[in-house]
Amino acid sequence: MNTPGIEFGRKTSAAYAALCKPLCQKLHLPRTAFDILMFLANNPGYQTASDVVEVRKLKANLVSVNIDRLVQEGYLVREADPGDRRRTLLRCTEKACPIIEQGRALQEEFGARLLEHTNEAQRKAFFETMDIINENLDAILEGEG
């Protein structure tokens, strides 16, 4: 089977990192801190450090250090979960808004560049195929439970 496989994932990650590097340098933020901030901003259903570790597959100590930095610099605040006082929720602050706006613009640019030289039919087929694969993945994962 001729699939893009590991090269596709590696190249995608490397290209995204290359686009992020100048912005992170401009913002004086480590890439991991930027990624954590963007993850929390773009995924409101995930609000804890554990969510970041689990979903993003980052090491807990790396997440902890970068969250501490984001809190100290005023980009995140920690709040007790009203439903479970043992859980600490992370919330982006107003100070983070310009970074989030720039990050989303970068992500939009990245998505657009990935789809350059494709037509509407190709994009439609690609996203329909991704939806089918996602459903297949859900079915596989449900079978594990």
Side-chain angles (χ1 to χ4, degrees), residues 115-128:
L115 296 173
E116 277 181 7
H117 311 295
T118 63
N119 61 42
E120 184 60 34
Q122 290 168 321
R123 289 188 295 275
K124 184 177 185 229
F126 174 73
F127 288 115
E128 286 174 351

Side-chain angles (χ1 to χ4, degrees), residues 24-130:
C24 288
Q25 288 173 336
K26 175 183 149 191
L27 298 171
H28 305 289
L29 272 181
R31 167 74 193 281
T32 302
F34 173 75
D35 287 346
I36 290 168
L37 192 61
M38 294 307 300
F39 174 77
L40 293 169
N42 289 337
N43 301 284
Y46 298 106
Q47 300 176 300
T48 68
S50 296
D51 291 336
V52 176
V53 170
E54 183 179 327
V55 176
R56 291 300 314 274
K57 303 298 183 207
L58 297 172
K59 293 185 182 198
N61 64 333
L62 191 58
V63 170
S64 179
V65 166
N66 281 282
I67 286 174
D68 285 344
R69 178 184 180 142
L70 290 166
V71 168
Q72 288 171 358
E73 293 182 9
Y75 298 119
L76 290 177
V77 292
R78 291 182 174 105
E79 298 175 345
D81 183 341
D84 182 352
R85 291 284 189 199
R86 296 168 296 174
R87 281 178 25 120
T88 300
L89 304 179
L90 300 168
R91 186 176 52 78
C92 299
T93 65
E94 284 295 315
K95 183 178 180 182
C97 288
I99 293 172
I100 293 166
E101 186 176 307
Q102 292 175 70
R104 286 179 175 157
L106 180 141
Q107 290 171 340
E108 285 289 323
E109 175 191 353
F110 181 66
R113 290 187 66 188
L114 285 178
L115 296 173
E116 277 181 7
H117 311 295
T118 63
N119 61 42
E120 184 60 34
Q122 290 168 321
R123 289 188 295 275
K124 184 177 185 229
F126 174 73
F127 288 115
E128 286 174 351
T129 302
M130 284 185 63

